[in-house]
Amino acid sequence: MASAPATGSSVPDRELNARQREIVSVARALLVEDGVEGLTLGRVAARLGIKPPSLYKHFANKRELEAVLIAEGLEAFTQALEWGGQGLASIARAYRRFALSNPQLYRLITERPLPRDLLPDGLEARAAAPIVAAAGDPDLARAAWAFAHGMVQLELADRFPPDAELDPAWTKAIEAFEAAAR
Amino acid sequence: MASAPATGSSVPDRELNARQREIVSVARALLVEDGVEGLTLGRVAARLGIKPPSLYKHFANKRELEAVLIAEGLEAFTQALEWGGQGLASIARAYRRFALSNPQLYRLITERPLPRDLLPDGLEARAAAPIVAAAGDPDLARAAWAFAHGMVQLELADRFPPDAELDPAWTKAIEAFEAAAR
DNA sequence: GTCTATATTGTGATAGAC
DNA sequence: GTCTATCACAATATAGAC
């Protein structure tokens, strides 16, 4: 399960000025290192050598800052799936690899409702496209997404019994979905 | 999606004295009403009309109190699955119904690592048994669990697009898993 | 763009008296 | 079994000076 980490920002960031990009960059590092819970304005400010209130000159609130990370993350995730290949099996492998390589980013973009009002138009649909294309049918795509999400989520949350082997579960489910897609 | 709410404590609670049961009861109500984040010792105490430090005379710490709720919840969940029927389709229906009827309890018992050191022996395995029995094979059971968990989790987190129809996704996946089980 | 000061609210946890 | 007092630490956010 080696990685293709979503390090650099892959979203345009066209509307962000230099200072905002610095702040986002620090926030991204903090997210990766300490998780969603570790991403606080106080820590972002400390790492920049400024005080928390100063951040409000650059972003209206925390939610706006997080939305930038979410948009970036969805973009990176989408690209990872597109690069992964075309069949359900390839997409599933790419999905799992991305999620396990970027666990905190994955949690940020899947565990809470999307800040849809702050995201670029069409981004959510673009992110779903590779799976829909591979599954052929929207319902089956939704099912496959849920399966992959559940596997990753349970693995990241340490909810499988310690001795559980996960590779066979992935394989059997993918085969079942592929059979259903035919 | 009517309910079989996990209200009353269904776990023995054999080792708990009267006062501890009162505290657990308040904690359960708080969890149901305000979610995992709303369950704090300060609020538990306030509802009991005492001060937070007093709780430490009854439970060593917050984790121990939560573990009682988790044990109860796993027990109730298991029973809901057992009562639900025997095929994969019946179990899936029961799974979904329980999770959506008790969203906060479901989150408590699935989103974080289990406090295995504080749970009754065998409880985790007992909870898994109905799914394993229905799937026939442990790997397929794991896959089916992940699918159901993913569906429920994404629905509870409002991560499906607003217009997504979920019933067909459940149906198609169950059919696919049933076909694979044969 | 940054600061100080402040508001507001909250969190789990311990010591020691009653 | 409960209290007071306290720790230690944290969070997002605003007003207004510089």
Side-chain angles (χ1 to χ4, degrees):
Chain A
M1 197 82 346
S3 60
T7 28
S9 78
S10 39
V11 92
D13 288 12
R14 264 182 279 254
E15 309 137 18
L16 300 183
N17 62 36
R19 188 54 166 158
Q20 285 175 317
R21 280 196 301 271
E22 283 186 86
I23 294 171
V24 168
S25 170
V26 165
R28 185 165 46 229
L30 228 32
L31 170 69
V32 167
E33 292 169 36
D34 305 311
V36 178
E37 299 80 4
L39 176 58
T40 71
L41 297 181
R43 302 185 70 201
V44 170
R47 203 168 275 206
L48 285 161
I50 64 177
K51 305 294 172 187
S54 304
L55 292 171
Y56 287 83
K57 297 289 180 181
H58 306 282
F59 292 95
N61 48 45
K62 190 188 180 187
R63 186 165 179 267
E64 223 177 57
L65 173 55
E66 278 183 345
V68 177
L69 293 179
I70 291 170
E72 271 187 14
L74 281 176
E75 202 78 53
F77 198 6
T78 306
Q79 288 186 17
L81 296 189
E82 286 167 350
W83 293 335
Q86 295 192 327
L88 266 183
S90 317
I91 304 250
R93 246 190 314 275
Y95 192 106
R96 187 184 185 191
R97 193 181 307 123
F98 184 92
L100 297 185
S101 304
N102 307 279
Q104 304 299 348
L105 178 57
Y106 182 81
R107 290 186 50 210
L108 181 72
I109 65 183
T110 59
E111 283 188 354
R112 293 184 296 177
L114 290 178
R116 296 193 166 99
D117 53 323
L118 297 179
L119 296 182
D121 279 348
L123 175 56
E124 189 177 2
R126 232 160 44 241
I131 301 182
V132 175
D137 160 279
D139 297 318
L140 202 59
R142 232 155 255 149
W145 177 30
F147 162 74
H149 176 65
M151 285 296 297
V152 157
Q153 191 85 352
L154 292 170
E155 184 171 3
L156 290 178
D158 249 320
R159 272 305 323 267
F160 285 115
D163 59 327
E165 284 197 55
L166 306 184
D167 284 25
W170 279 93
T171 305
K172 293 204 178 168
I174 295 305
E175 284 170 3
F177 285 130
E178 276 174 339
R182 265 173 242 138
Chain B
M1 196 85 337
S3 59
T7 27
S9 79
S10 41
V11 92
D13 288 13
R14 264 181 279 253
E15 309 135 17
L16 300 184
N17 63 35
R19 190 52 167 157
Q20 286 176 316
R21 281 195 300 271
E22 283 186 84
I23 294 170
V24 168
S25 171
V26 165
R28 186 166 44 229
L30 227 33
L31 171 69
V32 167
E33 292 169 35
D34 305 311
V36 178
E37 299 80 4
L39 176 59
T40 70
L41 296 181
R43 302 185 68 200
V44 170
R47 202 167 275 206
L48 285 161
I50 63 177
K51 303 295 171 187
S54 305
L55 292 171
Y56 288 84
K57 297 288 181 181
H58 307 283
F59 292 95
N61 48 45
K62 191 187 180 186
R63 186 165 179 268
E64 225 177 56
L65 174 55
E66 278 183 344
V68 178
L69 293 178
I70 291 170
E72 271 187 13
L74 280 176
E75 203 78 53
F77 198 6
T78 306
Q79 288 186 15
L81 296 188
E82 285 167 350
W83 292 335
Q86 295 193 328
L88 266 182
S90 316
I91 304 251
R93 246 189 316 274
Y95 193 106
R96 186 185 186 190
R97 192 179 309 122
F98 183 92
L100 298 185
S101 303
N102 308 279
Q104 305 299 348
L105 179 57
Y106 182 80
R107 289 186 51 209
L108 182 71
I109 66 183
T110 59
E111 283 189 351
R112 294 183 298 175
L114 289 178
R116 296 193 166 99
D117 53 323
L118 298 179
L119 296 181
D121 278 347
L123 175 56
E124 188 177 3
R126 234 164 38 244
I131 301 181
V132 174
D137 160 280
D139 297 318
L140 202 59
R142 233 155 254 150
W145 178 29
F147 162 74
H149 176 64
M151 285 296 296
V152 158
Q153 190 85 354
L154 291 170
E155 184 171 3
L156 290 178
D158 247 320
R159 272 306 320 267
F160 285 115
D163 60 327
E165 285 197 56
L166 305 185
D167 283 23
W170 279 94
T171 305
K172 293 204 178 171
I174 297 303
E175 283 171 3
F177 285 130
E178 276 174 338
R182 268 174 238 139

